[in-house]
Amino acid sequence: MSFTEKLSSIMQRPGQDPVAKDDVAWWMKYAGRGLGTVGSLLAIFLGAWNCVSILLGSVSCLVSGMWQMVAGFVVIMIEAPCCCLFIDFVQNLSDWAEKRPYWNRAAAYCIMAIPPVFLCFGMGSLLGSGLIFATGVIYGLMSLGRKGTRPDPAGMTSGVSSPQGTVPPTTDHHTTLVEDPDVWRPT
């Protein structure tokens, strides 16, 4: 067993399959988890900072700060359950979220991050909620998967249908729809 195999076996979650089920790059997974952890901690801190604005009479900033703190706490429960060992249901929540598709997590993080910015537009809500939103964007990119290989787009154009039937595949890759006489154009 090599050093990297030992390291990956140490880093895997309990009960996780040793073989990856998806084709997402390893650095993308760690980027999502790392940004989610750091961003949620910063969102909790900046949410508390927004709550202090109640001293100036800004109730909307108080609500924004509380929303941002709750959103940061939810993200840290899902991304880094080791930070919340004192709560018994956190590991179950994290395991449930790991079984869901990436787009579910992306949608949840992006939706949770938007209201604090609209309630109290400021640097604290922009930075804290922005990092949670960026985590959602990374998970959204992970849900798209890897990009195709170079021959894939060329193979996709070989059997395009037209009003007269199918267009035979061309070997000239510089042909466009405008130069193709078989493609219908309005007159």
Side-chain angles (χ1 to χ4, degrees):
M1 182 179 264
S2 69
F3 178 71
T4 56
E5 291 172 350
K6 288 180 183 177
L7 186 62
S8 65
S9 69
I10 291 172
M11 295 299 288
Q12 74 183 10
R13 297 176 65 113
Q16 181 181 4
D17 293 336
V19 179
K21 294 179 183 173
D22 53 2
D23 58 348
V24 177
W26 63 270
W27 60 269
M28 193 79 130
K29 289 180 183 180
Y30 287 125
R33 194 165 294 272
L35 184 63
T37 304
V38 172
S40 62
L41 289 172
L42 196 60
I44 291 170
F45 173 74
L46 291 173
W49 185 262
N50 279 348
C51 287
V52 172
S53 66
I54 191 66
L55 298 175
L56 301 174
S58 176
V59 176
S60 64
C61 285
L62 173 70
V63 173
S64 169
M66 290 188 311
W67 185 294
Q68 189 171 337
M69 287 172 40
V70 169
F73 188 66
V74 167
V75 172
I76 204 163
M77 283 191 311
I78 293 172
E79 296 298 327
C82 60
C83 295
C84 304
L85 290 175
F86 54 90
I87 303 174
D88 57 351
F89 67 89
V90 169
Q91 189 63 42
N92 294 336
L93 176 71
S94 178
D95 291 339
W96 177 79
E98 285 293 322
K99 294 175 187 171
R100 307 294 303 162
Y102 289 131
W103 70 267
N104 290 141
R105 210 181 305 186
Y109 290 170
C110 290
I111 290 171
M112 279 191 303
I114 291 174
V117 176
F118 286 127
L119 287 172
C120 180
F121 190 79
M123 200 56 160
S125 59
L126 272 178
L127 186 60
S129 293
L131 289 174
I132 292 175
F133 191 85
T135 305
V137 168
I138 287 177
Y139 277 108
L141 291 173
M142 287 169 61
S143 71
L144 294 176
R146 291 183 186 256
K147 68 178 188 177
T149 60
R150 185 146 175 88
D152 285 343
M156 297 286 288
T157 61
S158 63
V160 178
S161 63
S162 67
Q164 291 85 18
T166 61
V167 176
T170 180
T171 57
D172 183 17
H173 293 291
H174 300 294
T175 303
T176 62
L177 289 176
V178 177
E179 297 170 356
D180 193 0
D182 294 332
V183 176
W184 178 81
R185 285 184 289 277
T187 55

